[in-house]
């Protein structure tokens, strides 16, 4: 696996790829888990030139969030990626990324920045947009892969890149879970044994209420009840629990392609998940 | 173990300590290894109220250095510190530390900023001074513990705090090593198996040449020869290899308390070590 730590060496390597080879990007913040690895395996299976980026984007974190303690273990990441025969790993420095001039693309809000994971986090999706535009300008992949755990992020990136005229096809992949059903996340490592037991209840809870949500006329009443149940189950705060369509519009009983989205806290750790209902 | 994530909660807790209890600080950048733990054990054995801080100080890193990939694993750190019954762990956010007003202490260069680990890194020791003054202003410990691997840093901090009139006694503790002799360091985790084999040679090399350095009239000639030997042994760059006294003055054959200081690269990983000669 080739490792590029600056844009110049990356571009030299990308120029060497065969013209008809599909270039795929899996952007990550490192501390890779099986969710990331499943995206990579997908690209490798399709014989694509597979680029993984590791970049902890400071702009995605709020002032009260966990940037300072976000886990980092580049060595283990490199070991995992080498095993999967990833073609190229891009680990740029923050300074070089934010100094990079992106003249041709200008982000305008997509109007989904303030719902779900954007509630109370006004900088989150603009921060995602900033780094995505930079990475995709630099790498210009044919395809990119995102996990469905961060469904809103996948949809946001897809919409953003389409609107700005990038060629990249944005592909989503199903959430990879622990045996207990807990969605894999780098943040799970913050959880104590006691907290994991609570976290394990989230997916089970979403599945349990799937049917009722699909059948009920008044979803909001059920949601209020569910929030209480989550708090009783040990979650310390509910950031949101909402039913929306696949394109993130508010859902009612007649909507197709509905999803139940949840963001909950266990003490200071924030967990998200979602399922199709 | 109490965990404080902001200055306010820290100060409330520090105010509760018995008046005659010795307050000790072990400042770290996390990703704790046995070197850190030996400092902590020392304080705990002496029944001191033991505070550990975890703070990755961005000002200590140059633009070409490894801030972005410095390893982080707060969860494992907390597990280790809990086992040692550390009294208080302080994990502040960068913003709060650098917003903290330190009106009464002003750092003036100590004239050891540009030697050894300061060569070509003009921001390193001013960066150390900045964070040390902030942490010691906030915590005001009676004692603090530093490992001898970073001997220059220990001496710099000791001199700085004394000059600024801090009460804290700065204590050094012998370098903790792997069985092979390799000095423990968070950065060792960057090394591949092949690179570790090279790294293991550094301490053996320092010990081997100890006697010759003590006896020789012209040390500089020997040092030039040693540098070549290190390069032949697989180290890719020698940052410095110098003999200095315990107060970091240039040593000659008549000097007492000499130390042999080395900083070497294996590819992109920089390792330091030193021994008394």
């Amino acid at each position: 696996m080739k490792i590029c730590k600056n844009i110049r060496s990356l571009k030299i390597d990308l120029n060497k790829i065969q013209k008809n080879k599909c270039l795929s990007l899996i952007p990550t913040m490192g501390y890779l888990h099986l969710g990331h690895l499943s995206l990579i395996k997908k690209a490798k299976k399709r014989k694509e030139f597979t680029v993984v980026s590791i970049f902890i984007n400071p702009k995605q974190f709020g002032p009260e969030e966990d940037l300072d303690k976000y886990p980092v273990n580049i060595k283990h990441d490199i070991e995992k990626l080498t095993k999967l025969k990833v073609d190229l790993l891009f680990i740029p420095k923050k300074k070089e990324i934010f100094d990079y001039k992106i003249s041709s693309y200008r982000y305008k809000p997509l109007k989904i920045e303030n719902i779900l994971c954007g509630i109370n986090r006004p900088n989150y999706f603009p921060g995602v947009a900033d780094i995505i535009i930079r990475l995709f300008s630099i790498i210009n992949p044919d395809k990119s892969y995102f996990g469905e755990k961060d469904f809103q992020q996948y949809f946001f990136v897809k919409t953003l890149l389409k609107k700005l005229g990038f060629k990249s096809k944005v592909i989503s992949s199903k959430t990879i879970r622990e045996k207990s059903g807990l969605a894999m996340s780098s943040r799970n490592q913050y959880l104590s044994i006691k907290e994991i037991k609570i976290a394990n209840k989230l997916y089970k809870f979403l599945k349990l209420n799937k049917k009722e949500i699909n059948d009920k006329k008044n979803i909001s009443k059920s949601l209020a009840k569910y929030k209480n149940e989550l708090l009783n189950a040990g979650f310390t705060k509910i950031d949101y629990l909402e039913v929306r369509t696949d394109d993130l519009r508010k859902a009612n009983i007649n909507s197709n392609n509905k999803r139940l989205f949840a963001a909950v806290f266990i003490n200071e750790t924030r967990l998200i998940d979602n399922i199709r209902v």
Side-chain angles (χ1 to χ4, degrees), chain A:
Chain A
M1 182 178 66
K2 185 66 189 292
I3 301 177
C4 294
K5 298 191 175 176
N6 59 62
I7 295 171
R8 203 178 145 263
S9 78
L10 173 83
K11 289 203 168 172
I12 290 170
D13 276 294
L14 293 184
N15 267 328
K16 289 180 195 156
I17 305 171
Q18 289 177 318
K19 281 270 146 71
N20 56 349
K21 186 102 175 170
C22 174
L23 172 59
S24 288
L25 172 65
I26 295 99
T28 81
M29 300 211 297
Y31 215 83
L32 305 174
H33 52 66
L34 294 175
H36 299 111
L37 303 187
S38 79
L39 302 176
I40 294 163
K41 280 180 194 162
K42 221 171 189 175
K44 283 301 295 179
K45 215 173 170 181
R46 295 172 177 177
K47 312 239 179 270
E48 298 161 1
F49 187 94
T50 308
V51 177
V52 174
S53 63
I54 296 182
F55 185 77
I56 299 180
N57 176 21
K59 297 196 179 183
Q60 273 174 241
F61 292 80
E64 290 308 311
E65 286 169 31
D66 56 358
L67 171 62
D68 291 347
K69 58 169 191 154
Y70 199 84
V72 181
N73 195 324
I74 294 285
K75 191 184 177 189
H76 290 189
D77 290 341
I78 289 174
E79 284 166 4
K80 287 173 185 169
L81 297 175
T82 307
K83 258 192 201 157
L84 292 188
K85 301 198 167 107
V86 161
D87 296 284
L88 194 153
L89 169 61
F90 181 44
I91 326 180
K93 292 204 195 317
K94 290 197 181 72
K95 193 175 165 357
E96 199 185 9
I97 286 294
F98 290 119
D99 283 352
Y100 188 76
K101 293 238 174 342
I102 34 160
S103 43
S104 29
Y105 300 106
R106 182 161 291 162
Y107 159 65
K108 278 180 202 163
L110 308 177
K111 293 179 184 162
I112 49 170
E113 283 83 352
N114 303 318
I115 60 168
L116 302 176
C117 284
I119 302 168
N120 299 324
R121 298 156 93 212
N123 301 323
Y124 182 75
F125 284 103
V128 170
D130 190 334
I131 185 62
I132 285 292
I133 293 172
R134 287 172 194 279
L135 282 178
F136 280 70
S137 297
I138 294 165
I139 300 169
N140 197 23
D142 301 301
K143 287 187 191 172
S144 59
Y145 292 85
F146 290 82
E148 280 186 0
K149 178 176 74 76
D150 301 82
F151 189 88
Q152 186 181 11
Q153 179 179 271
Y154 149 70
F155 184 76
F156 177 80
V157 170
K158 190 182 177 81
T159 311
L160 174 76
L161 293 177
K162 198 177 166 190
K163 202 175 163 191
L164 294 179
F166 279 89
K167 67 173 181 187
S168 183
K169 204 176 153 189
V170 180
I171 297 160
S172 72
S173 196
K174 72 171 205 293
T175 302
I176 304 297
R177 300 177 180 282
E178 306 283 357
K179 270 187 191 160
S180 66
L182 178 63
M184 301 252 177
S185 164
S186 306
R187 286 191 172 95
N188 290 350
Q189 77 111 5
Y190 298 147
L191 298 168
S192 68
I193 294 169
K194 219 171 132 190
E195 289 173 333
I196 285 173
K197 284 185 185 159
I198 300 166
N200 286 339
K201 296 180 192 172
L202 182 59
Y203 179 61
K204 285 170 191 144
F205 176 87
L206 296 179
K207 274 207 305 190
L208 187 72
N209 295 300
K210 203 169 139 165
K211 202 181 167 312
E212 185 174 317
I213 282 176
N214 235 337
D215 297 347
K216 272 264 167 108
K217 274 210 173 147
N218 189 343
I219 302 175
S220 63
K221 223 174 176 176
S222 304
L223 291 174
K225 185 188 75 183
Y226 298 152
K227 283 185 191 174
N228 259 322
E229 286 174 13
L230 283 169
L231 290 170
N232 288 334
F235 296 96
T236 51
K237 204 172 96 182
I238 316 298
D239 219 11
Y240 59 76
L241 185 71
E242 291 188 34
V243 182
R244 289 187 176 262
T245 62
D246 258 1
D247 50 2
L248 303 185
R249 280 177 295 187
K250 285 215 164 160
N252 60 46
I253 186 151
N254 300 316
S255 312
N256 291 320
N257 301 325
K258 288 196 286 277
R259 280 179 176 272
L260 174 58
F261 293 91
V264 294
F265 279 86
I266 304 174
N267 302 317
E268 285 186 309
T269 306
R270 186 177 180 274
L271 302 174
I272 60 173
D273 204 347
N274 69 85
I275 59 164
R276 175 160 285 166
V277 297

